[in-house]
Amino acid sequence: MKKSLVYIITVMIISLFTACKKKKVTIGNSINFNKEENISYGSNADQTLDLYVPDAKSQKQRDAFIIIHGGGWHGGNKSQLTFFTLCMMEKFPDHIFVNMNYRLASTQQYGIPNQTNDIQEVISLLKKKLNYTPKLILLGNSAGGHLSMLYSYYFDYDKNVKAVINIVGPADLSYSGFKNYNEYSFVEKHLIDPKILPTSTSTIEFASPVHWITTKSSPTLSYYGTSDNVIPLSQNKILDSVFTKNNIIHESYEFSGGHLDWDKKPNNIFLMNKIESFLKRIDQ
């Protein structure tokens, strides 16, 4: 793993000084991907993505990871997850990877449905590029974990999502522990456009992925920190309870550390190993 990470870091440095949009990424001695950077999937400057497709002669249909960054719905950038995406490519060399930006929430612009619409636009673009509909694994951290769950459980009308990897994502925004989040008032006022609320559904209820879990929801793996001061560890238990009630395949794990420690060693290695076994489980 150490030797391969040296290759990954080298690739990242080269990427910073290479102007061309298309390039090849080599990880280790034998893992090769074709990469397209900053592909626009909409008219907004935030609507860009990086696409990694295995460089192989085989034309078989591959599953795709869609990577969704965090940042409290109003910050962050796909660059935060570039290194983790490259590590995932080493672990899953037979998969396609999309690392996406999305329109950020502000006092002038609601987060949702813009952000869930952006996920749908990314999926539509991916279908056009591949000429088939891939099975999707939505993977996100923090706000990205929340968006991965909410899109899958409520907005995935075509049922293209085969699995969700939720990393420190808020699942029940009405939970008293989450209300201690220092930007909770922003979430209440600017995350959800009131125009999309179903009858008798509050903003916070609509924004909570647990509210939309049914017996047909996607299998989900969750990962939470034992000393996370942003997203309470109890979110894990809430999800487990609802998944069990609806007989959904799910797994949940804890790591030692705070909100930003999930991708540090050894937490990241543990997570990738669990993702691998989880996907094998649901593919059986």
Side-chain angles (χ1 to χ4, degrees):
M1 187 71 181
K2 289 183 179 179
K3 184 177 179 181
S4 297
L5 288 177
V6 171
Y7 281 95
I8 292 173
I9 294 170
T10 301
V11 167
M12 292 177 68
I13 294 172
I14 291 172
S15 297
L16 291 173
F17 294 96
T18 305
C20 61
K21 190 175 182 180
K22 291 186 178 182
K23 56 175 67 71
K24 289 188 182 294
V25 176
T26 298
I27 303 171
N29 295 317
S30 59
I31 300 173
N32 298 290
F33 282 80
N34 294 312
K35 175 183 178 180
E36 292 184 67
E37 289 182 299
N38 296 317
I39 300 171
S40 294
Y41 64 86
S43 58
N44 190 287
D46 288 335
Q47 293 175 303
T48 62
L49 61 85
D50 297 335
L51 173 64
Y52 306 84
V53 179
D55 183 16
K57 294 180 180 179
S58 172
Q59 298 300 312
K60 71 175 184 177
Q61 296 188 1
R62 304 172 188 274
D63 294 353
F65 280 93
I66 295 181
I67 311 293
I68 308 173
H69 70 80
W73 299 279
H74 63 88
N77 186 279
K78 60 183 170 63
S79 62
Q80 297 170 197
L81 293 181
T82 297
F83 183 75
F84 182 72
T85 300
L86 292 166
C87 292
M88 286 285 290
M89 288 159 57
E90 181 180 27
K91 185 71 174 179
F92 300 93
D94 201 37
H95 286 65
I96 294 161
F97 286 83
V98 174
N99 186 14
M100 66 174 284
N101 279 333
Y102 50 84
R103 287 172 288 175
L104 302 176
S106 69
T107 54
Q108 289 78 41
Q109 175 174 271
Y110 292 106
I112 297 168
N114 284 330
Q115 293 168 359
T116 48
N117 286 346
D118 284 352
I119 296 173
Q120 182 57 60
E121 289 301 317
V122 167
I123 294 170
S124 296
L125 182 144
L126 190 59
K127 290 178 182 179
K128 291 177 183 178
K129 277 190 164 287
L130 299 176
N131 292 316
Y132 68 87
T133 301
K135 294 180 180 178
L136 302 171
I137 304 124
L138 300 190
L139 182 154
N141 72 298
S142 195
H146 167 269
L147 292 171
S148 297
M149 290 188 286
L150 186 63
Y151 180 86
S152 177
Y153 308 154
Y154 184 80
F155 291 98
D156 183 25
Y157 308 119
D158 297 328
K159 298 300 178 185
N160 290 325
V161 179
K162 70 177 270 186
V164 173
I165 310 300
N166 159 45
I167 306 168
V168 298
D172 183 359
L173 279 65
S174 67
Y175 177 69
S176 58
F178 182 69
K179 291 183 179 180
N180 294 325
Y181 176 50
N182 60 4
E183 297 188 10
Y184 191 77
S185 62
F186 179 89
V187 172
E188 287 184 301
K189 296 175 182 178
H190 303 293
L191 181 57
I192 305 293
D193 185 343
K195 293 178 182 178
I196 71 169
L197 293 176
T199 304
S200 302
T201 303
S202 70
T203 298
I204 293 301
E205 191 175 43
F206 182 88
S208 299
V210 291
H211 181 71
W212 303 112
I213 293 173
T214 70
T215 56
K216 296 182 179 180
S217 294
S218 302
T220 301
L221 181 150
S222 296
Y223 201 39
Y224 288 92
T226 56
S227 55
D228 191 332
N229 293 322
V230 180
I231 304 301
L233 182 61
S234 53
Q235 295 283 291
N236 213 1
K237 310 304 180 188
I238 294 170
L239 276 171
D240 282 348
S241 175
V242 180
F243 285 136
T244 299
K245 179 180 177 181
N246 286 277
N247 197 31
I248 298 298
I249 296 174
H250 67 284
E251 295 178 9
S252 60
Y253 300 97
E254 299 175 6
F255 62 88
S256 297
H259 194 63
L260 301 178
D261 294 328
W262 63 271
D263 65 344
K264 297 177 182 177
K265 288 186 177 180
N267 298 334
N268 57 344
I269 306 302
F270 178 86
L271 172 61
M272 288 189 287
N273 288 336
K274 291 302 181 183
I275 292 172
E276 181 181 39
S277 60
F278 183 69
L279 294 181
K280 287 180 180 178
R281 176 186 174 188
I282 64 178
D283 282 337
Q284 291 178 349

